[in-house]
Amino acid sequence: MMRPYEHKAQYYETDQMKVVHHSNYIRWFEEARTDFMGQIGLPYRQMEEKGIIVPVLSVKCDYKSMTRFEEVVEVYTYVKKFNGIRMEFSYEIRDKKTGEVRVTGESGHCFLDPDYHLLSIKKKFPDYFKVYKSYEGKTDLYEEGKGYE
Amino acid sequence: MMRPYEHKAQYYETDQMKVVHHSNYIRWFEEARTDFMGQIGLPYRQMEEKGIIVPVLSVKCDYKSMTRFEEVVEVYTYVKKFNGIRMEFSYEIRDKKTGEVRVTGESGHCFLDPDYHLLSIKKKFPDYFKVYKSYEGKTDLYEEGKGYE
Amino acid sequence: MMRPYEHKAQYYETDQMKVVHHSNYIRWFEEARTDFMGQIGLPYRQMEEKGIIVPVLSVKCDYKSMTRFEEVVEVYTYVKKFNGIRMEFSYEIRDKKTGEVRVTGESGHCFLDPDYHLLSIKKKFPDYFKVYKSYEGKTDLYEEGKGYE
Amino acid sequence: MMRPYEHKAQYYETDQMKVVHHSNYIRWFEEARTDFMGQIGLPYRQMEEKGIIVPVLSVKCDYKSMTRFEEVVEVYTYVKKFNGIRMEFSYEIRDKKTGEVRVTGESGHCFLDPDYHLLSIKKKFPDYFKVYKSYEGKTDLYEEGKGYE
């Protein structure tokens, strides 16, 4: 089983509404996504060192409730779609203590080589392709109830 | 006519892909949105002082091309929908020099009072309601070609 | 014994020099400072709820070496000076794996009440005063060698 | 004469103390520094393209008063010291409307080649050396009273 990514809301992430500024959730998606890649054995840093760049093509975020300073959230990350050319992640951010959903969202990605040309993961990195493919559409990655203390 | 909001990409906004990090566009939407509110005579700071909070309920972003350090972009902001309870803005970010589209996006908002309860702008602030309503769905806010040098 | 604060360098914290942007270390100081306060039993959130604001009056940072994406650093935090009116923290940030010093720094603070007037912790919160005072100038807070794997 | 760099405080730059978070001033120093470089004819982007990297070695910041959302500040930048190997900038940030000093600070820099080796500007880029040298220690760069409306 995988473990959700944990993040503690920092003071500098709050704004004068006294909650976490909405732009930070996009950054927490990224934190969770790189953690997810590490957990499945394909750390993003290693991918970049092999010449694979994974830019963000789109992002979507629905804000359901607010996070306050020093609260801990858990980010559940899923591979929604993957065809070797494009990849879509989905995310659910919940308060660690109560399980209340804070934010849901998605991000779309492609793969580029160091010259910023489209890269077919399937052809060039078949091992990576297999790993990602094995997670596509799977929603039972995390232990049931794991998100609730 | 209105003028698009200008932003110069800063060094601290770049990431190791050598372009502006994708999360910053969400912040540029906000910069443009508050500038837009100022231009139509309802500065956001003044609204907060009158007890109106305008949280972000959702955000969407499509990344079309990359912005590099020291490039200047123009953000075109529009009121897509507004019914006095909810408001939707749409954005188009273009490179100032070439007019190339960098990012398009949307954000959804509601209105809250200082106790975080839903607020009907129509009932409580009819003057504000009228102003926003007059911009709803209008796409000819900016001088034609203004975005291109 | 206390434990140093750990932070993993995130992608959005890098800049086009391919290392962590220097402004983030100021934020990591803050992360470590609030973690320190939690460890000594005076969580910052709780202090704010009791009406104590602890603004930053000054900050100093010496950059010794660079942090790369996905590297983990440890922040060692110390109470350098404390007289009930002003407080100075000092920080040492080291790479977790090698122990190499990344950054050293300091921050100066005072205490304010909710109206932004100076607050004497000694008079108003003598319990808090005692706790902070007991850490003043102590440099043996962390287990020897703890910073090196 | 030079013009001070202007920055309008953004919502995402505030924190729950309802003022601009202290870490942002370090970023405003950088904005002002790159603007300064542009004004003296040596844009930072151009320098990086010629293979000159100018990392930050140290930074110092004294917070005198607080900046609120939508306030405009002016940053006055000076070359405090420059010997071709190291360079020190000093900064004064003032409220544009009142002239009140918000923050003063300094930053120390060196010059590196693309392999991160120390670079002597004097030997390799004598033209750049001359320009910087001509600003060293000069404090009358801005029109008297320019900072006050």
Side-chain angles (χ1 to χ4, degrees):
Chain A
M1 298 310 283
M2 299 187 71
R3 41 165 193 72
Y5 176 75
E6 290 195 9
H7 181 100
K8 189 171 198 169
Q10 297 299 325
Y11 203 87
Y12 64 79
E13 294 176 318
T14 63
D15 63 27
Q16 68 183 40
M17 221 181 275
K18 299 197 172 219
V19 294
V20 166
H21 188 270
H22 66 280
S23 63
N24 290 302
Y25 295 97
I26 309 292
R27 299 185 166 188
W28 299 358
F29 286 172
E30 181 181 272
E31 295 189 19
R33 190 166 65 242
T34 53
D35 184 70
F36 182 94
M37 288 180 171
Q39 283 193 61
I40 65 173
L42 306 176
Y44 189 58
R45 182 169 169 175
Q46 195 190 89
M47 290 184 70
E48 279 205 345
E49 283 163 3
K50 295 208 175 185
I52 310 170
I53 302 172
V54 191
V56 180
L57 298 182
S58 63
V59 83
K60 241 182 71 171
C61 216
D62 285 293
Y63 304 98
K64 309 291 190 184
S65 60
M66 288 155 166
T67 309
R68 281 172 175 75
F69 171 51
E70 294 209 331
E71 288 177 356
V72 178
V73 297
E74 291 184 323
V75 189
Y76 294 78
T77 304
Y78 304 92
V79 178
K80 200 183 166 192
K81 282 186 201 171
F82 173 69
N83 63 7
I85 304 291
R86 286 197 57 157
M87 176 151 59
E88 276 177 50
F89 287 98
S90 73
Y91 312 88
E92 189 176 53
I93 301 183
R94 299 185 200 156
D95 182 66
K96 189 183 174 183
K97 240 191 196 138
T98 65
E100 193 182 8
V101 176
R102 294 277 174 257
V103 169
T104 59
E106 293 177 18
S107 64
H109 305 263
C110 66
F111 303 90
L112 300 181
D113 67 20
D115 298 322
Y116 291 152
H117 294 127
L118 265 181
L119 184 76
S120 167
I121 285 289
K122 196 171 183 176
K123 283 186 199 161
K124 295 288 175 62
F125 298 90
D127 290 355
Y128 286 16
F129 177 80
K130 266 182 224 161
V131 176
Y132 280 129
K133 201 68 189 169
S134 72
Y135 286 95
E136 193 193 9
K138 279 184 76 173
T139 56
D140 58 346
L141 303 175
Y142 304 91
E143 222 177 299
E144 204 186 355
K146 180 67 182 59
Y148 308 86
E149 269 179 0
Chain B
M1 300 308 284
M2 300 188 70
R3 43 165 191 70
Y5 176 75
E6 290 196 8
H7 181 100
K8 189 170 197 169
Q10 298 298 327
Y11 204 88
Y12 65 78
E13 295 177 317
T14 62
D15 63 25
Q16 66 182 41
M17 221 180 275
K18 299 197 170 214
V19 294
V20 166
H21 189 268
H22 67 281
S23 64
N24 290 302
Y25 295 97
I26 309 291
R27 299 184 168 190
W28 299 359
F29 286 173
E30 181 181 271
E31 295 189 20
R33 190 166 63 242
T34 53
D35 184 70
F36 182 95
M37 289 180 170
Q39 283 192 60
I40 65 173
L42 306 175
Y44 189 59
R45 182 169 169 175
Q46 195 190 88
M47 292 184 69
E48 280 206 344
E49 282 163 5
K50 296 210 173 182
I52 311 170
I53 302 172
V54 191
V56 180
L57 298 182
S58 63
V59 84
K60 242 183 71 172
C61 215
D62 284 293
Y63 305 98
K64 310 291 191 184
S65 60
M66 288 155 166
T67 309
R68 280 172 175 73
F69 172 50
E70 294 209 332
E71 288 177 358
V72 178
V73 296
E74 291 184 321
V75 189
Y76 293 79
T77 305
Y78 305 93
V79 178
K80 200 184 166 190
K81 283 187 200 170
F82 173 69
N83 63 7
I85 305 290
R86 287 198 55 159
M87 176 151 58
E88 276 177 52
F89 287 98
S90 73
Y91 312 88
E92 189 177 52
I93 301 182
R94 299 186 200 153
D95 182 66
K96 189 184 173 182
K97 242 195 195 134
T98 65
E100 191 182 10
V101 177
R102 294 277 174 260
V103 168
T104 60
E106 295 176 18
S107 64
H109 305 262
C110 65
F111 303 90
L112 299 181
D113 67 19
D115 298 323
Y116 292 153
H117 295 127
L118 264 181
L119 184 76
S120 167
I121 283 290
K122 196 171 183 175
K123 283 186 198 159
K124 296 287 176 61
F125 298 90
D127 290 354
Y128 286 16
F129 177 80
K130 266 182 225 161
V131 177
Y132 280 130
K133 201 66 188 171
S134 72
Y135 286 95
E136 193 192 10
K138 280 183 74 173
T139 56
D140 58 347
L141 303 175
Y142 304 91
E143 222 177 297
E144 204 185 358
K146 180 71 182 55
Y148 308 86
E149 271 179 0
Chain C
M1 300 306 285
M2 300 187 70
R3 44 166 190 71
Y5 176 75
E6 289 195 10
H7 181 99
K8 189 171 196 168
Q10 298 298 327
Y11 203 87
Y12 65 78
E13 295 176 318
T14 62
D15 63 28
Q16 67 183 41
M17 221 180 276
K18 299 198 170 215
V19 294
V20 166
H21 189 269
H22 66 280
S23 63
N24 291 301
Y25 295 98
I26 310 291
R27 299 183 166 189
W28 299 358
F29 286 173
E30 181 181 271
E31 295 190 19
R33 189 165 65 242
T34 53
D35 184 71
F36 182 96
M37 288 179 170
Q39 283 193 61
I40 65 173
L42 307 175
Y44 189 58
R45 182 169 168 175
Q46 195 190 88
M47 290 184 70
E48 280 205 344
E49 282 162 5
K50 295 209 174 184
I52 311 171
I53 301 171
V54 192
V56 180
L57 299 181
S58 63
V59 83
K60 241 182 72 171
C61 217
D62 285 293
Y63 304 97
K64 309 292 191 183
S65 60
M66 289 155 165
T67 308
R68 281 171 176 74
F69 171 51
E70 294 209 332
E71 289 178 356
V72 178
V73 296
E74 292 185 322
V75 189
Y76 293 79
T77 304
Y78 305 92
V79 178
K80 199 183 166 191
K81 283 187 199 171
F82 173 69
N83 63 6
I85 304 291
R86 287 198 55 158
M87 176 152 60
E88 276 176 51
F89 286 98
S90 72
Y91 311 88
E92 189 175 55
I93 300 183
R94 298 184 201 156
D95 181 67
K96 189 184 174 184
K97 237 190 198 141
T98 64
E100 193 182 6
V101 177
R102 293 277 175 256
V103 168
T104 60
E106 293 177 18
S107 64
H109 306 263
C110 66
F111 303 90
L112 300 180
D113 66 21
D115 298 322
Y116 291 154
H117 294 127
L118 263 182
L119 184 77
S120 167
I121 284 289
K122 194 171 183 175
K123 283 186 198 159
K124 295 287 176 60
F125 298 91
D127 290 354
Y128 286 15
F129 178 81
K130 265 183 223 161
V131 176
Y132 279 129
K133 201 69 189 169
S134 73
Y135 285 95
E136 192 193 10
K138 278 183 77 172
T139 55
D140 58 346
L141 302 174
Y142 304 90
E143 221 177 298
E144 204 186 356
K146 180 70 181 57
Y148 309 86
E149 268 178 1
Chain D
M1 299 308 283
M2 300 187 71
R3 44 165 191 72
Y5 176 75
E6 290 196 9
H7 181 100
K8 189 170 197 169
Q10 297 299 325
Y11 204 87
Y12 65 78
E13 294 176 318
T14 63
D15 64 27
Q16 67 182 43
M17 222 180 273
K18 299 197 169 215
V19 294
V20 166
H21 189 269
H22 67 281
S23 64
N24 290 303
Y25 295 98
I26 309 290
R27 298 184 167 189
W28 298 358
F29 286 173
E30 182 181 272
E31 294 189 20
R33 190 166 63 241
T34 53
D35 184 70
F36 182 94
M37 289 180 171
Q39 283 192 61
I40 66 173
L42 307 176
Y44 189 58
R45 182 168 168 175
Q46 195 190 88
M47 290 184 70
E48 280 206 345
E49 282 163 5
K50 295 210 175 183
I52 310 172
I53 302 170
V54 191
V56 180
L57 299 181
S58 63
V59 83
K60 242 182 72 171
C61 216
D62 284 294
Y63 305 97
K64 309 291 191 185
S65 60
M66 288 155 167
T67 308
R68 280 171 177 74
F69 172 50
E70 294 209 333
E71 288 177 357
V72 177
V73 296
E74 292 184 321
V75 189
Y76 293 78
T77 304
Y78 304 92
V79 178
K80 199 183 167 191
K81 282 186 201 172
F82 173 68
N83 64 7
I85 304 291
R86 288 197 56 158
M87 176 151 59
E88 277 177 50
F89 287 98
S90 72
Y91 312 88
E92 189 176 51
I93 300 182
R94 300 186 199 154
D95 182 66
K96 189 183 173 182
K97 240 193 196 136
T98 64
E100 192 182 8
V101 177
R102 293 276 173 260
V103 168
T104 59
E106 294 177 17
S107 65
H109 305 263
C110 65
F111 303 90
L112 299 180
D113 66 21
D115 298 323
Y116 291 154
H117 294 127
L118 265 180
L119 184 76
S120 168
I121 284 290
K122 195 171 183 176
K123 283 186 199 161
K124 296 285 175 64
F125 298 90
D127 289 354
Y128 287 16
F129 177 81
K130 266 183 224 162
V131 176
Y132 280 130
K133 201 68 189 171
S134 72
Y135 285 95
E136 193 193 8
K138 279 183 76 171
T139 56
D140 58 348
L141 301 175
Y142 304 91
E143 224 177 297
E144 205 185 355
K146 180 70 182 57
Y148 309 86
E149 268 178 3

